[in-house]
């Protein structure tokens, strides 16, 4: 009989620690072979990292079409698997969350009754991995996840709900949904969705929104908060980005473990609109005060209910996946809805705000490069430890 995967307190006795390591971990690895950076060349290294976890029982499955991961995990509980490992992008994670929760966090089983989710990112943006402090290189991430599996580390996060679907990263109508719709069309035509290819799509969407703003009204926790807004983004994670490792920050103090963040902008016109957009990525931060950027921004953190209405139907995206067009969107959040294999303190609000969210782009990129170097060092250290423990 398998012992359930569980959160275990700190052990001081060597034999107790050794016994903990021998508890079987039943893991289902779901791999999306079509995600941007997934490749047969990397798979042996990823599997080697996961199999370094003593006692792991690894089952591997591959998705064959959109929605397949959701079908695979439907009805699964901790009686079946202790952890589900996603080898894919934010879209694959979204499918797994929706499959486990039957697309509704408010009627789903509790977090303790569902398998924890681990993410090894191979998508184009990998926003959730970045928000959880997980390396964006798949092999580095695999070794990092392996270390968390050994210590039985997990953290409960919030899950949002909109348009009869769960989301864990963000929901948006306007510019982000326009960009994602364009990128999905490119993918259908056989083009890989690399970060650099988002730039023309962003530029085109931005110009269109400046010419014809969508006029969005936001009602947050029962109170009208903004009217005739040119863009509206609801975020569960911090940061969120189209641009690979470059953090795009709308709500610096939003946490995956609390309520939702809302960011809106009254007008995208003129130089001020361009400066505001650049500020989100850390460009031209010194121009923020001279151009009175804050006067055009509408920002709320830790919201529980958000309603967005528009004068005409707008494209909607959830977790980087285009959903449909809508002119009214009701969004709620359930805190502590599902467990992820992640450290709760990797990206605390204070740490992130000081190191990334308020810093110019060169300092943001320095943080990114430093973290990559640390991730690579950790992988080399983990590999050497495994080699010493199992000499040829």
């Amino acid at each position: 009989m398998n012992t359930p995967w569980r959160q275990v307190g700190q052990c001081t006795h060597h034999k107790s620690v050794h016994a903990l390591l021998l508890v079987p971990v039943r893991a289902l690895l779901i791999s999306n072979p079509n995600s941007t950076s997934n490749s047969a060349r990397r798979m042996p290294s990823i599997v080697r990292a996961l199999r370094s976890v003593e006692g792991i029982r690894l089952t591997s499955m591959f998705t064959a079409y959109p929605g397949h991961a959701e079908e695979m995990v439907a009805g699964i509980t901790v009686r079946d698997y202790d952890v589900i490992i996603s080898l894919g992008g934010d879209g694959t994670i979204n499918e797994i969350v929706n499959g486990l929760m039957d697309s509704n966090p408010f009627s789903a089983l509790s977090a303790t009754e569902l398998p924890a989710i681990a993410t090894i990112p191979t998508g184009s943006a990998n926003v959730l991995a970045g928000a959880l402090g997980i390396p964006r290189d798949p092999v580095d991430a695999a070794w990092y996840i392996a270390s968390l599996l050994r210590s039985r580390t997990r953290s409960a996060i919030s899950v949002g709900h909109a348009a009869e679907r769960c989301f864990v990263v963000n929901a948006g109508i306007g510019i982000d949904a326009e960009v994602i719709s364009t990128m999905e069309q490119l993918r259908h035509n056989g083009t890989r969705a690399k970060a650099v290819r988002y730039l023309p799509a962003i530029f085109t969407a931005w110009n269109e929104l400046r010419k014809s703003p969508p006029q969005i009204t936001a009602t947050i926790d029962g109170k009208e908060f903004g009217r005739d807004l040119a863009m509206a983004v609801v975020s569960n994670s911090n940061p969120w980005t189209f641009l690979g490792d470059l953090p795009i920050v709308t709500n610096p103090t939003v946490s995956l473990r609390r309520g939702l963040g809302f960011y809106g902008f009254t007008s995208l016109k003129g130089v001020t609109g361009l400066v505001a957009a650049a500020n989100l990525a850390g460009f031209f931060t010194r121009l923020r005060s001279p151009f009175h950027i804050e006067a055009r921004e509408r920002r709320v953190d830790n919201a529980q209910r958000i309603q967005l209405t528009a004068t005409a139907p707008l494209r909607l995206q959830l977790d980087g996946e285009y959903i449909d067009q809508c002119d009214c969107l009701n969004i709620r959040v359930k805190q502590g809805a599902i467990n992820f294999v992640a450290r709760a303190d990797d990206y605390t609000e204070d740490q992130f705000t000081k190191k990334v969210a308020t810093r110019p782009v060169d300092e943001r990129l320095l943080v990114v490069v430093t973290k990559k170097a640390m991730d690579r060092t950790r992988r080399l250290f983990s590999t050497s430890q495994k080699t010493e423990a199992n000499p040829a």
Side-chain angles (χ1 to χ4, degrees), residues 171-183:
I173 57 175
I175 185 170
D176 55 336
E178 293 288 338
V179 171
I180 286 166
S181 175
T182 300
M183 294 307 298

Side-chain angles (χ1 to χ4, degrees), residues 206 246-248 272-285 361 364:
W206 186 264
L246 177 61
I248 304 295
T272 303
L274 292 174
V275 173
N279 277 186
L280 298 179
F283 293 100
F284 308 136
T285 53
V361 65
R364 294 188 191 199

Side-chain angles (χ1 to χ4, degrees), residues 306-334:
I306 299 174
Q307 183 184 67
L308 304 177
T309 58
T311 54
L314 298 173
R315 288 187 170 93
L316 163 69
Q317 67 84 19
L318 297 177
D319 287 351
E321 300 292 321
Y322 174 67
I323 303 299
D324 202 351
Q325 288 189 327
C326 67
D327 56 12
C328 183
L329 184 66
N330 291 298
I331 308 170
R332 294 189 296 163
V333 64
K334 182 178 180 180

Side-chain angles (χ1 to χ4, degrees), residues 206-213 269:
W206 186 264
N207 272 339
E208 289 298 320
L209 287 176
R210 290 174 70 193
K211 295 175 185 176
S212 181
K269 294 181 179 179

